[in-house]
Amino acid sequence: MLASVLWILMMGFFVGQLARRLGAPPLIGMILVGIILGPQVRNVISQDVLGAADELRTLAVMIILMKAGLGLDWEKLAQQGTVALRLGFLPATTEAIAIAIASMLIFHLNFPTALLLGCVIGAESPAVIVPGMLRLKSLGWGVTKGIPDAILTGSALSDVLLLLVFSLLLSFLSDGGIEQISLPGGFTLTALQLLPLQIIMQILLGVLFGYLAARLLVLLLTKQNWTQNAVQDTVIAAGLALLLVIVAHTVPYFSGYLAAMAMGFFLIELDAPLARRLRVGFDSLWIVAEIFLFVLLGATIQLQVLEKILLPGILILAIGLFIGRMVGWYLSTLGSNWNWRERLFLLPGNSAKATVQAAIGAIPLSQGIAGGEIILAIAALSILITAPLGAWATMTFAPKLLTKGEVDPTKVTVAARTLLLAAVDTSMATEILTKVADLARRSNGEVIVLHVINTSNQQAVEQINEQAKRLLADIRYEFLTTTGAVPEEIIRIAQEHYATAIVMGKRGHQPWEQVLIGSVSQAVLETSPIPVILLENREPKSV
């Protein structure tokens, strides 16, 4: 089992990075690794790991939905009105119906079985869509009109709808009829008649439990201070989100995934600093979870079942996407402020299939439902085609179809590189290098050590270089020398290398210089567009 985990992590990571360097999404490499390591080819992954694949997928989806919730913007969602709500129901419904009709004609399935196939294929993949939309938010594409937020919310709601209909149809096909439910007062309703109420209850209770969980998390982590660092915050938040998902499996009256996403969303409103810390923590968790998710996804794909239905399967997927889902997209954005380019972006941004298909694609076959092998094969085909294509097309077509807006740093993870420029001479080199080393360690940053040469004193240059080697031994740094006017050169080098701050000393020790900073320092302070940190007697002064 440990050897299997090692294979998954190492091969999944490096082949994923190889795919990224070749210009493809890393998940393509991870899925290929899963196919090769899985029982279809090399059979390297142990049965214990394959047996736990559903649980590991559940954990990974919980992590990605928490990331989605921590990145949602309430103002943008409110601005969109009912677009996000319609995106949650109409595209999935119209795609499921189109696939059902096409599969009845092509495979001669009966309507309940054909609609069961439509529910499996119509569900959207949070594992592909969420990272793509969060990436767009961090780059600013479509954020002005809240397009990534609407897609994120709609994909979560659509999975609630289709999973409920899937369960209802599965029960009908297994038992041979629709269950009758007796209500107080002598009323009798079928499960189909109760479906709208179930959908509303799943959504409302999911949002409610997500809100209560967020309040509990703020109480424990902020008010009561039960944790001491961001890692502990992340562990507690992930545990609480996973508890919501587990309870929802046992007591299926609310959507656990929606509750996890809602918890992240409400954390932004209740405690923005805590949400920012958790966003960084869940980004780290997703790095590992993503590898397990897509490698195990590839391992569960059954290649032999694809041979007979390859061409008709592609035809059904195309009908569902280009006819069914596009009708739903048009109806969802009707009356909105989206232009035709933004509506067209839904084609790559809102059509990927992966996690839901892997989780439920094999269930009809395992329960002996006629046509189950066809459902499994088309589910596997949808993963192989739409997951990598959707991930690639999202980032490729976003700059062509969406408008770039201002990024809200409170709603996304800002992954800016910290680069400190230490402007030194022989007078305060030790103090400046000591301080810049401390700042770089705290921010995991890099350093440029700059010495502007006024005279050809090679001994001074060597002395500063030796001090830098000793004081910055555990920090990535670059030592530069240049000639010219000192203030201009400091600012020029800082701008050329995109430094985040300049650290320099305040010259002189006469009493009058406590008021007059010094010509070089004063010139840099007055003209630098980059923040400057001045040091005097080892005490920093930020300006």
Side-chain angles (χ1 to χ4, degrees):
M1 185 174 181
L2 290 177
S4 298
V5 171
L6 183 63
W7 277 109
I8 290 171
L9 285 174
M10 293 295 101
M11 291 290 292
F13 174 77
F14 283 109
V15 177
Q17 292 305 304
L18 178 62
R20 182 183 63 80
R21 295 190 176 202
L22 293 175
L27 66 87
I28 294 180
M30 296 174 193
I31 291 175
L32 289 176
V33 166
I35 293 173
I36 294 170
L37 297 182
Q40 306 297 308
V41 183
R42 300 297 300 171
N43 197 23
V44 173
I45 303 176
S46 73
Q47 289 301 314
D48 291 333
V49 175
L50 290 175
D54 287 342
E55 287 75 13
L56 292 172
R57 272 196 293 268
T58 298
L59 180 62
V61 173
M62 177 276 295
I63 291 171
I64 198 62
L65 286 175
M66 270 294 292
K67 275 172 57 67
L70 289 166
L72 283 178
D73 190 332
W74 168 250
E75 292 181 0
K76 294 295 189 298
L77 286 175
Q79 173 188 330
Q80 285 303 318
T82 62
V83 173
L85 190 61
R86 283 182 281 168
L87 280 174
F89 296 102
L90 291 177
T93 301
T94 53
E95 182 179 16
I97 293 173
I99 288 175
I101 295 172
S103 59
M104 289 172 65
L105 296 174
I106 296 173
F107 294 114
H108 306 292
L109 300 176
N110 58 47
F111 180 71
T113 305
L115 190 57
L116 189 70
L117 171 62
C119 290
V120 172
I121 305 303
E124 300 157 21
S125 171
V128 179
I129 292 174
V130 171
M133 293 306 106
L134 293 180
R135 176 66 174 160
L136 294 187
K137 284 171 67 71
S138 68
L139 295 174
W141 293 112
V143 297
T144 303
K145 295 183 180 179
I147 293 172
D149 293 285
I151 293 176
L152 284 172
T153 307
S155 64
L157 294 177
S158 69
D159 288 347
V160 173
L161 167 66
L162 290 184
L163 288 175
L164 281 173
V165 178
F166 174 83
S167 301
L168 176 63
L169 290 170
L170 199 64
S171 176
F172 171 76
L173 291 168
S174 301
D175 301 338
I178 297 180
E179 182 182 356
Q180 300 282 333
I181 299 174
S182 298
L183 299 176
F187 294 102
T188 302
L189 296 175
T190 65
L192 184 60
Q193 292 170 324
L194 281 174
L195 182 62
L197 180 62
Q198 286 180 292
I199 294 172
I200 294 172
M201 182 175 67
Q202 289 250 340
I203 293 173
L204 292 181
L205 289 180
V207 171
L208 175 62
F209 290 147
Y211 173 75
L212 294 176
R215 292 300 296 256
L216 177 61
L217 209 57
V218 171
L219 177 66
L220 293 176
L221 305 186
T222 304
K223 307 296 184 183
Q224 300 293 333
N225 293 319
W226 280 73
T227 56
Q228 287 78 46
N229 52 56
V231 175
Q232 293 177 342
D233 291 342
T234 305
V235 170
I236 297 302
L240 187 55
L242 185 59
L243 177 63
L244 289 172
V245 175
I246 293 172
V247 171
H249 279 298
T250 308
V251 186
Y253 298 115
F254 70 99
S255 171
Y257 289 134
L258 185 60
M261 186 173 173
M263 184 174 80
F265 170 73
F266 286 118
L267 279 171
I268 301 175
E269 307 302 320
L270 295 173
D271 195 323
L274 175 61
R276 185 174 62 250
R277 293 200 305 272
L278 291 177
R279 195 178 294 126
V280 175
F282 276 91
D283 284 344
S284 301
L285 288 179
W286 175 241
I287 293 173
V288 178
E290 179 185 32
I291 297 173
F292 273 97
L293 176 66
F294 289 112
V295 171
L296 292 176
L297 201 61
T300 56
I301 292 174
Q302 307 208 5
L303 299 178
Q304 68 272 17
V305 300
L306 298 177
E307 297 176 4
K308 297 181 180 179
I309 58 90
L310 182 60
L311 292 179
I314 293 175
L315 177 60
I316 283 179
L317 292 176
I319 291 172
L321 180 62
F322 292 108
I323 298 177
R325 186 163 279 268
M326 291 194 81
V327 170
W329 288 332
Y330 174 76
L331 295 175
S332 298
T333 56
L334 195 63
S336 70
N337 60 348
W338 294 24
N339 58 42
W340 70 270
R341 289 178 176 271
E342 292 160 344
R343 294 181 182 185
L344 187 60
F345 176 72
L346 289 169
L347 178 60
N350 188 233
S351 56
K353 326 287 183 184
T355 42
V356 177
Q357 288 70 26
I360 66 176
I363 294 177
L365 179 62
S366 66
Q367 295 197 4
I369 293 174
E373 71 283 355
I374 295 175
I375 295 175
L376 175 60
I378 298 180
L381 188 63
S382 70
I383 295 170
L384 287 174
I385 293 176
T386 65
L389 195 59
W392 167 80
T394 295
M395 300 311 303
T396 301
F397 289 101
K400 298 177 175 62
L401 300 175
L402 301 179
T403 303
K404 194 167 188 178
E406 185 177 352
V407 177
D408 184 353
T410 67
K411 302 297 189 300
V412 295
T413 302
V414 180
R417 181 183 66 146
T418 300
L419 178 62
L420 304 171
L421 186 140
V424 297
D425 57 17
T426 54
S427 63
M428 289 187 64
T430 301
E431 290 85 350
I432 295 171
L433 291 174
T434 300
K435 185 60 183 179
V436 84
D438 179 60
L439 293 173
R441 292 187 187 102
R442 292 173 184 270
S443 59
N444 194 28
E446 301 177 10
V447 174
I448 291 177
V449 180
L450 174 65
H451 176 58
V452 182
I453 302 174
N454 284 323
T455 60
S456 57
N457 187 352
Q458 186 62 30
Q459 184 178 358
V461 174
E462 293 177 359
Q463 178 185 347
I464 295 172
N465 195 10
E466 288 300 318
Q467 287 179 302
K469 288 181 181 179
R470 177 170 53 86
L471 297 173
L472 304 175
D474 60 333
I475 294 165
R476 193 179 302 277
Y477 77 95
E478 182 180 3
F479 181 72
L480 299 178
T481 59
T482 185
T483 58
V486 178
E488 287 82 354
E489 288 301 305
I490 291 174
I491 295 172
R492 181 182 67 82
I493 296 296
Q495 289 180 311
E496 282 184 1
H497 291 80
Y498 300 99
T500 51
I502 298 172
V503 183
M504 60 187 302
K506 175 179 170 180
R507 279 181 175 275
H509 301 284
Q510 284 94 357
W512 60 270
E513 286 184 332
Q514 294 176 3
V515 179
L516 299 176
I517 295 175
S519 59
V520 173
S521 305
Q522 186 70 39
V524 173
L525 281 172
E526 291 179 349
T527 58
S528 173
I530 298 169
V532 179
I533 300 175
L534 290 184
L535 298 183
E536 180 186 19
N537 297 327
R538 301 182 184 272
E539 293 295 329
K541 177 183 178 183
S542 300
V543 182

